[in-house]
Amino acid sequence: MAVTASTSEQFDFALALIKSSGTPLLVLDKDLVILAGSSSFCSAFQIDPTAVKGNSMSVLGSGAAA
């Protein structure tokens, strides 16, 4: 019998990979709202990691989330 992960488990795993990536990464939805960002992204752009999720790219671009 094959063991498969639920969609939620797969998403959680993907987020863990992204957040721990040494490469600056963002996951965006269709409206360019940030679903997740890597620690290296926040470090590279001097953004508070708690301010990333749920913001739009325009908010980050304006410096409002820093």
Side-chain angles (χ1 to χ4, degrees), residues 10-21 36:
Q10 292 171 351
F11 185 74
D12 291 345
F13 180 71
L15 286 180
L17 289 174
I18 290 160
K19 288 180 179 183
S20 65
S21 171

Side-chain angles (χ1 to χ4, degrees), residues 11-63:
F11 185 74
D12 291 345
F13 180 71
L15 286 180
L17 289 174
I18 290 160
K19 288 180 179 183
S20 65
S21 171
T23 302
L25 296 171
L26 288 178
V27 176
L28 309 172
D29 70 8
K30 65 179 178 61
D31 298 316
L32 300 182
V33 173
I34 301 167
L35 300 177
S38 66
S39 297
S40 55
F41 177 89
C42 295
S43 294
F45 295 99
Q46 300 175 354
I47 297 170
D48 178 1
T50 62
V52 173
K53 184 178 177 182
N55 278 312
S56 68
M57 288 296 296
S58 61
V59 170
L60 290 185
S62 69

